[in-house]
Amino acid sequence: MKKILAAGIVALAIGAMALPASAATSVQTVDATLGSTLAMTATPSSTVSWTLASTGANTTSGGSLTVNSNAPYTATVTADKTKMTEWITASSAYASSPKTLSTALSVSGSRSAGTAAVAGVGATAVVGTSTSLATGTGLGTDTYDVTLSQPTLITDSALPSGQTYHIVLTYTASATF
Amino acid sequence: MRREKVILTVLASALLAVPWPVRAQTTGAVGLEITPSQTELDLPGHSYETTLTLFNHDPVTYKVDLSLEALGHDLDGAPEYFPSSVVSNAFSLSATSFSLAQDQKKQILLKGAIPAAAHSIYFGVIAAYARPDQQQGSSVETRTRLGSEFLLRGPKPWTQRLQITDVGVLPGTGRNATLYAIAKNVGNVHVRPTGTVTVSKNGRRIARFAFALNAAHKPGAIIPGFARRLTAVWTPPADLTGTFTVTATTQNPAAAASKTVSFRNGKALAPDAKIVNLSVQNSSGVVVDSQVTNVGTGALTGAKLTFVATQDGRFERGRMVFPIASLAPGATVEKRWSPGPLPDGAYQITATLEQGGTLLDQRVAGVRVGAALTSGARTPLLAIAGVLLALVLAVVLWFLFFRRRDEDREQRAGSRAV
């Protein structure tokens, strides 16, 4: 009798514990935010010693840019000088009264690889301020091959040994707004 | 056999226990990553703080330098960053220079407030980074930067106002033409207008298009003080000849403007010239260099290039207008401006190319004159510390004064008793 009573109490206790779970309806709201993110890598420039022809269109590879984003982005290129400018190699500085090439450098981006469903689009930027080099819709990776073009004229001055024409390009990736 | 089992078990345990490097991010992650890349918020107050995360996915160690710069954009909406003492006084970063090895991340606290007198602030946290071999020994040095944009609006009321400064049509590629409106934000917070452009003849509508969106369901933003070109591509009939009216209308906020344009055999007859270069340097004075190229099919006549130097985007400190009498198709003209001595500060140099009432192009560049100010976001803390120090000194001096006075009294009392 005691055993039956004990079993009954245990069964009731279990039932009592299980009852609220089966009778109540629990609503769990899950909200999640996913922040915009942007990454870029640039391969080193291959233009360590760019030998320009005295006249004509000189082109060389400027390496590549790979952009990885989950939102639309814009890649721009800016330069520290209007045109390639006389540089003293020994002092790693521009000449005090520098010569410059007569034509501006242009930089073009051409998409060569990537995983983005809608491929990014490259553009040609003449050295200037915030000139668009590429735009993409994001949601993956876009790789752009960068080509540098520096036209020269016979009126451009040759430089002595230890001096080069020099420029600093800054690539900036930002979200499109 | 048993020994072998033990050895295998030990090896398996060791393999599981060793913290093998794991790429924490999704497949395909490359380079230096910044999160968030864009933040657009309407704040309940003026204060704001958040955490930015930088993550290096590349198999190199990057030297990273962070800075705060004002955010603007060119006519086509490409982001532009400028030095700004307003931004560097309003916000600060918990760290500005550090190195990140592969798979390392660093969290940075951005903290500050929209200035009390302002309704909004627009800036970028710029992460400049370089691999060891990136910047040396090349005739073309390359540097790389990531921008994390912040578009912050303070509490209402706002003034959302747009002015359409120009409407027109540009010859496009092939048979296409680009209908456009130049919309300038003359309010005090950023806006994202939508709108349409129509082409009509004697009141009869020939074509109507919505302006292109920046992204799906998202019109492009226009920051206060900046202008943006809203566009729609049209393929006009091949025999379209004569004069027509182009009307642009925007919503959110509302604005409208019209202009008469000409076509001949489906081709827009309009000047098309670009500011292909704008460079600002500060070495023994600010020097602005710019080039204008006629990219249209006819001669560009009666144009002008205007440079304006504005301190912190608010106070005009210099202006120069260069007339461009005539420029043949494909030709380029260079203009140089030295604005003379400028007070120390952060400057925006705006170059505007116009012909008659047509705005052909506009670019903005930034330059800093003099040394950068230290972040003003810490100024209140320094002030509080100074006041506290003064209070402590005052209490100590007061205490010493009274103690000395009491001692003197006791001494005098003692002398009288004796």
Side-chain angles (χ1 to χ4, degrees):
Chain A
M1 187 59 187
K2 279 183 183 174
K3 282 183 181 174
I4 292 169
L5 196 63
I9 290 168
V10 169
L12 277 173
I14 291 170
M17 282 190 287
L19 195 62
S22 59
T25 302
S26 178
V27 177
Q28 187 178 34
T29 304
V30 179
D31 288 319
T33 58
L34 179 62
S36 57
T37 194
L38 176 67
M40 179 172 74
T41 190
T43 60
S45 168
S46 59
T47 55
V48 172
S49 56
W50 189 7
T51 304
L52 301 170
S54 59
T55 305
N58 300 277
T59 59
T60 189
S61 170
S64 67
L65 287 179
T66 299
V67 182
N68 195 43
S69 178
N70 64 1
Y73 66 85
T74 301
T76 59
V77 60
T78 59
D80 66 329
K81 296 284 183 186
T82 312
K83 294 165 184 169
M84 292 191 78
T85 301
E86 186 181 356
W87 173 265
I88 312 297
T89 311
S91 57
S92 291
Y94 288 107
S96 52
S97 299
K99 299 180 178 73
T100 60
L101 293 177
S102 51
T103 311
L105 176 80
S106 64
V107 186
S108 62
S110 173
R111 188 179 185 274
S112 56
T115 60
V118 179
V121 179
T124 298
V126 177
V127 159
T129 299
S130 285
T131 308
S132 183
L133 183 68
T135 51
T137 56
L139 306 180
T141 302
D142 290 307
T143 297
Y144 300 92
D145 288 338
V146 176
T147 301
L148 308 176
S149 301
Q150 178 55 72
T152 46
L153 303 169
I154 197 65
T155 50
D156 288 324
S157 293
L159 295 177
S161 176
Q163 297 179 15
T164 63
Y165 285 108
H166 188 90
I167 201 163
V168 181
L169 299 179
T170 300
Y171 298 95
T172 305
S174 306
T176 301
F177 68 93
Chain B
M1 189 64 187
R2 193 177 171 186
R3 184 180 292 173
E4 286 170 354
K5 276 185 180 173
V6 170
I7 290 169
L8 281 172
T9 307
V10 169
L11 279 174
S13 303
L15 277 170
L16 289 171
V18 168
W20 295 105
V22 175
R23 290 190 73 87
Q25 299 296 301
T26 54
T27 308
V30 293
L32 184 73
E33 178 184 291
I34 194 164
T35 305
S37 58
Q38 187 180 89
T39 304
E40 184 176 359
L41 286 173
D42 294 338
L43 304 176
H46 281 237
S47 298
Y48 177 69
E49 70 175 67
T50 192
T51 302
L52 291 105
T53 304
L54 288 124
F55 192 109
N56 179 11
H57 298 281
D58 280 349
V60 293
T61 296
Y62 282 124
K63 169 83 168 55
V64 183
D65 291 302
L66 297 182
S67 61
L68 290 163
E69 296 195 12
L71 173 67
H73 53 81
D74 67 11
L75 272 186
D76 298 316
E80 293 178 328
Y81 301 99
F82 319 103
S84 165
S85 48
V86 172
V87 172
S88 56
N89 283 339
F91 279 85
S92 65
L93 296 161
S94 59
T96 54
S97 188
F98 48 90
S99 293
L100 277 183
Q102 186 179 19
D103 286 338
Q104 268 191 335
K105 74 174 179 182
K106 186 165 181 72
Q107 294 193 307
I108 305 291
L109 180 67
L110 168 74
K111 192 174 181 180
I114 298 169
H119 293 82
S120 60
I121 194 165
Y122 301 91
F123 62 93
V125 176
I126 306 298
Y129 59 104
R131 60 177 86 223
D133 60 346
Q134 195 171 315
Q135 294 183 8
Q136 294 167 353
S138 171
S139 53
V140 180
E141 290 183 30
T142 56
R143 294 176 185 175
T144 36
R145 308 192 307 172
L146 286 172
S148 174
E149 301 155 346
F150 287 84
L151 296 90
L152 304 179
R153 292 192 285 208
K156 291 180 180 176
W158 303 328
T159 303
Q160 294 178 286
R161 197 175 297 149
L162 206 60
Q163 184 182 352
I164 298 180
T165 58
D166 191 23
V167 180
V169 62
L170 290 171
T173 52
R175 289 185 50 223
N176 287 341
T178 301
L179 303 165
Y180 70 87
I182 307 288
K184 183 174 183 183
N185 186 343
V186 290
N188 58 24
V189 294
H190 75 278
V191 292
R192 290 186 179 276
T194 55
T196 56
V197 57
T198 61
V199 182
S200 57
K201 176 82 174 177
N202 299 326
R204 188 176 64 86
R205 194 165 75 193
I206 296 171
R208 181 177 184 273
F209 300 94
F211 285 121
L213 297 175
N214 198 33
H217 314 296
K218 195 175 181 184
I222 308 177
I223 287 175
F226 287 83
R228 188 158 184 162
R229 189 172 6 225
L230 310 177
T231 61
V233 175
W234 179 39
T235 307
D239 60 348
L240 191 77
T241 300
T243 57
F244 301 84
T245 302
V246 177
T247 303
T249 308
T250 64
Q251 291 86 42
N252 302 317
S258 292
K259 192 175 175 180
T260 301
V261 299
S262 300
F263 283 86
R264 184 184 300 150
N265 296 325
K267 201 74 182 170
L269 301 176
D272 192 4
K274 299 282 183 200
I275 299 170
V276 292
N277 196 11
L278 175 64
S279 169
V280 183
Q281 292 163 56
N282 181 23
S283 53
S284 309
V286 172
V287 176
V288 182
D289 286 295
S290 187
Q291 293 173 306
V292 170
T293 298
N294 181 0
V295 295
T297 52
L300 178 70
T301 55
K304 64 178 180 182
L305 180 66
T306 305
F307 294 121
V308 178
T310 319
Q311 190 171 5
D312 278 326
R314 292 185 294 176
F315 310 110
E316 184 176 321
R317 301 293 189 202
R319 176 182 287 263
M320 174 60 77
V321 180
F322 289 98
I324 300 173
S326 182
L327 194 61
T332 296
V333 65
E334 295 183 24
K335 299 293 177 188
R336 168 170 282 196
W337 178 45
S338 301
L342 294 170
D344 285 2
Y347 287 86
Q348 290 177 16
I349 308 294
T350 306
T352 305
L353 179 63
E354 297 167 283
Q355 188 212 41
T358 302
L359 177 63
L360 299 173
D361 203 3
Q362 190 171 62
R363 288 196 181 281
V364 186
V367 68
R368 183 179 289 283
V369 176
L373 294 169
T374 54
S375 171
R378 286 187 293 272
T379 304
L381 290 176
L382 291 172
I384 290 166
V387 168
L388 283 174
L389 187 64
L391 279 171
V392 168
L393 279 171
V395 166
V396 168
L397 287 171
W398 193 252
F399 176 75
L400 288 173
F401 171 76
F402 276 105
R403 194 176 169 186
R404 180 69 185 269
R405 199 176 63 175
D406 292 345
E407 281 175 2
D408 288 349
R409 277 179 183 168
E410 283 171 13
Q411 205 170 16
R412 280 196 297 270
S415 301
R416 277 197 296 272
V418 169

